[in-house]
Amino acid sequence: CLFVGKIVAGSSSYDSEASNLTTTKSGKVLVPGGGSSSPTNVLVPGAKPSSSIDQLETSDIVSEDSKVIHEVPESSAMVGVTGMEVLNEQEKIAVLPGTRDKTDKRTVPPPGAGQRIYDIDPILSGFRQHLDYRYSQYKRIRAEIDKCEGGLEQFSRGYEKFGFIRSETGITYREWAPGATSAALIGDFNNWNPNADVMARNEFGVWEIFLPNNADGSPPIPHGSRVKIRMDTPSGLKDSIPAWIKFAVQAPGEIPYNGIYYDPPEEEKHVFKHPQPKKPKSLRIYESHVGMSSTEPKINTYANFRDEVLPRIKKLGYNAVQIMAIQEHSYYASFGYHVTNFFAPSSRFGTPDDLKSLIDKAHELGLLVLMDIVHSHASNNTLDGLNMFDGTDSHYFHSGSRGHHWMWDSRLFNYGSWEVVRYLLSNARWWLDEYKFDGFRFDGVTSMMYTHHGLQMTFTGNYNEYFGFATDVDAVVYLMLVNDLIHGLFPEAVSIGEDVSGMPTFCVPIEDGGVGFDYRLHMAVADKWIELLQKRDEDWRMGDIVHTLTNRRWLEKCVSYAESHDQALVGDKTIAFWLMDKDMYDFMALDRPATPLIDRGIALHKMIRLITMALGGEGYLNFMGNEFGHPEWIDFPRGEQHLPNGKVVPGNNNSFDKCRRRFDLGDAEYLRYHGLQEFDRAMHHLEGTYGFMTDIHQYISRKDEGDRVIVFERGNLVFVFNFHWNKSYSDYRIGCHKTGKYKIVLDSDDALFGGFDRLDHNAEYFTFDGWYDDRPRSIMVYAPARTAVVYALVEDKPQSAPLEIESAAASVKHVEPEPEAPEAAAELDAASELVQS
């Protein structure tokens, strides 16, 4: 089912470069030296898979059919790799420290019926043919994986079969490169001699070589050595970084990256000490980028992020950190989205063990660590990445125009290829198993699910837009498989998908017929705020705001955000910059009067963030620095670019000045940024205390276009937003659900948050019986202009005690808290400064 081809060993020369030493950010010396004619591995409708490696143990029958994942006659045989039995005997793969035992008993549950989606959303019945076909494809591939590969658990451990595998007797290196006609492993260990370690190819295009240990028992490839694979391909002779490489480094003064054989001594390996936290009921995510997380204009390190930034995130009240740009990417300014080496953590920030130490520290602090993973496309870099890896256009990607994303200038995976599916599933498994990540935010999912990639396409909600010929069923089935893998083997892991289309069933469990994500990123919310910020206050519509925030599918959870990294990039504006513009540079000090623009901006910045958290979904996300209204955009260091058409794109002299986060501004008590940061902290601790984002009780009682007021209930909290620019309302009646006494628990007008302190926090608000705004009771409140105030029942018992918070003590309150979670009791003393009865 894969490939049949001749093994051709070739030879060529390699000009070894002068040796010097290159150190990583941690100071450790790692780098010495400082259109194909071959068959393609494609899944097209109707053909059957085989495996290239795991079939060693299940079959020795060879077929000449190309390996595909679609139906063939039942008489066709599944095929394995032949001619490798001797090497396997030599290999005697041992369970090395830090690797998972082969006796791992975890399994992915079998597929369900996939029919509950029609009960959840009866409209889907009109698209049953498409959805049933999609689910049948998923079930068939699961069955083939079970039959040919021993199940998803085994299939997703490709990194134990491909790349460099250390054993008791030596190192085996395998690479799938069916387009190559010869291959040799080269590197520092053999003086880059392409004739020294020539590889052998099997019928399926898998190249292999076994290197026995040295006479003294030391490994044949020393830790930190540069390695590459030299191949003779249809596109010529080329040196490539191994596709499964675990570390890659760019030496100073050099353009290309080098693969690094990474196998440090036991004493240098990080051993995880802290258990992974349980999945929280509501997610409060701090989106971050390690490299730009320093206050200094430089590339920050994993170690500094661990020691300086993680405690800040914890103190702010977030319960998860989402880290961008982990997978190695040769172009820093791609924000990590043009991945070149999928299994390698970025070496700009330190070593793989430095990253493990960061994650371990986060777990010690009780923070989930989510990875911004890119499986939607890959860098078109042919020097360092997967593009044209074996000299063919269709190796890991679709051939022709379908394999190129014209807007992103990147390559698009062929999710119908058996080996591509193995590669990507194993990649997700690798980060969860080896690095203990707690889940993923999958980037660019809309681009994956549709052949038009969501470009020049406006999704109106018509179901024909989701279930038609423009849907890439192979890609959707891959997403089902990877979610199956994540939730089956790592039940506490979190899966978030970046989808702007609103695809129905996106966050429905796979056994019910859904795609299986836990959350969808509610991307329309940020777009709505940018749209409104370009209008006059008089043109804001309360109903429009509420509709955008609440327009999400039943039983499908969302992570909302007012702004993410997208709005912070050069060429765009953050919310703070839209609101306050250049006044931010001159009028943010408390020792000088604010301008009307500053007063308006500070007030609306707080209101926008709170209403987004309170109404937008079951999770909330913020990009680092935006919690205090970071005054500058993000501009990666870049030089002048000369385009093929003759145009010149100016650079910024490779400056890091705008590629950092000025946390010092948020910490400076003499600046108004500090008030915004304190409000963000109080907002998160309010949610941690009352759990309002995931409370099933939500009722919007008022959307008053004349008063510019929005009133709603989440749990036993009542939120009152007055967006009017100059009208404050005394004795303003608002509806509520429960009888009793209410008190203020959060007030955006508090002086601590840069407000005007117009409310008495000692006041008590007693309910009146009688229907008002479709609520059985009401209270009378004071609603100052441009404020958000949250009221809570005095008798209400918070879900858990708030985490440590210092100066926000006077503004987040609850009465006699009785934490439900056992671990919350230990946090209660640390929260004493926050809690005010």
Side-chain angles (χ1 to χ4, degrees), residues 404-681:
H404 294 264
H405 197 292
W406 62 266
M407 179 174 282
W408 294 345
D409 191 25
S410 57
R411 296 304 313 272
L412 299 173
F413 285 107
N414 178 4
Y415 303 102
S417 163
W418 191 261
E419 291 305 321
V420 171
V421 171
R422 184 202 305 276
Y423 184 83
L424 294 176
L425 289 178
S426 298
N427 186 243
R429 171 78 176 272
W430 168 254
W431 295 109
L432 296 174
D433 244 349
E434 182 71 14
Y435 287 86
K436 311 302 179 190
F437 276 97
D438 301 292
F440 300 112
R441 177 259 198 196
F442 280 85
D443 176 69
V445 174
T446 303
S447 175
M448 296 173 65
M449 294 193 299
Y450 307 98
T451 55
H452 53 60
H453 311 302
L455 301 176
Q456 300 176 334
M457 171 71 184
T458 300
F459 290 95
T460 65
N462 186 315
Y463 280 32
N464 289 293
E465 297 165 354
Y466 307 118
F467 310 118
F469 291 113
T471 304
D472 189 335
V473 175
D474 285 341
V476 177
V477 169
Y478 166 72
L479 292 171
M480 296 168 72
L481 290 169
V482 74
N483 278 306
D484 227 1
L485 172 77
I486 292 168
H487 296 125
L489 301 184
F490 306 89
E492 292 296 320
V494 176
S495 174
I496 304 169
E498 185 200 32
D499 171 40
V500 71
S501 74
M503 162 79 78
T505 76
F506 191 75
C507 294
V508 174
I510 297 164
E511 61 266 26
D512 297 331
V515 182
F517 284 99
D518 292 316
Y519 296 88
R520 169 192 276 116
L521 277 179
H522 200 348
M523 302 175 70
V525 174
D527 294 338
K528 175 57 65 177
W529 288 125
I530 298 303
E531 174 192 325
L532 291 175
L533 290 171
Q534 298 177 69
K535 297 180 178 180
R536 302 178 308 154
D537 291 7
E538 295 88 337
D539 296 327
W540 290 27
R541 294 291 173 260
M542 303 300 102
D544 188 26
I545 293 172
V546 169
H547 173 74
T548 301
L549 289 168
T550 58
N551 183 25
R552 51 189 188 269
R553 297 188 179 279
W554 183 54
L555 295 182
E556 298 196 37
K557 295 186 292 186
C558 287
V559 172
S560 65
Y561 56 96
E563 55 185 338
S564 70
H565 67 272
D566 290 325
Q567 288 73 39
L569 287 170
V570 63
D572 206 336
K573 292 183 181 180
T574 63
I575 286 177
F577 216 85
W578 276 110
L579 288 167
M580 295 177 277
D581 206 65
K582 65 181 185 299
D583 280 18
M584 297 181 72
Y585 294 113
D586 299 313
F587 300 100
M588 292 299 278
L590 292 174
D591 62 357
R592 64 176 63 184
T595 65
L597 201 62
I598 292 294
D599 286 338
R600 172 182 180 267
I602 287 176
L604 289 178
H605 192 273
K606 293 177 287 188
M607 296 178 71
I608 286 170
R609 301 175 80 77
L610 180 59
I611 198 170
T612 299
M613 171 183 271
L615 274 186
E618 295 75 22
Y620 177 82
L621 177 143
N622 167 66
F623 179 68
M624 62 179 187
N626 288 347
E627 67 273 11
F628 60 83
H630 201 284
E632 295 174 337
W633 56 90
I634 296 169
D635 191 9
F636 284 89
R638 52 194 168 83
E640 188 176 80
Q641 287 183 291
H642 295 265
L643 302 180
N645 59 10
K647 291 184 178 180
V648 177
V649 179
N652 63 3
N653 294 318
N654 292 305
S655 171
F656 284 87
D657 186 59
K658 298 295 190 294
C659 196
R660 54 176 171 157
R661 294 283 90 180
R662 294 292 305 276
F663 294 123
D664 54 311
L665 299 178
D667 293 342
E669 296 184 7
Y670 57 87
L671 296 178
R672 291 183 169 89
Y673 296 110
H674 185 67
L676 295 177
Q677 179 169 284
E678 290 302 301
F679 181 78
D680 192 79
R681 183 185 302 187

Side-chain angles (χ1 to χ4, degrees), residues 285-314:
I285 303 170
Y286 196 81
E287 185 185 31
S288 60
H289 184 288
V290 172
M292 65 175 64
S293 63
S294 173
T295 58
E296 302 298 323
K298 65 179 185 179
I299 295 179
N300 207 8
T301 65
Y302 294 125
N304 184 271
F305 189 93
R306 175 196 65 208
D307 298 336
E308 302 294 335
V309 183
L310 286 179
R312 169 182 294 275
I313 297 170
K314 175 69 173 180

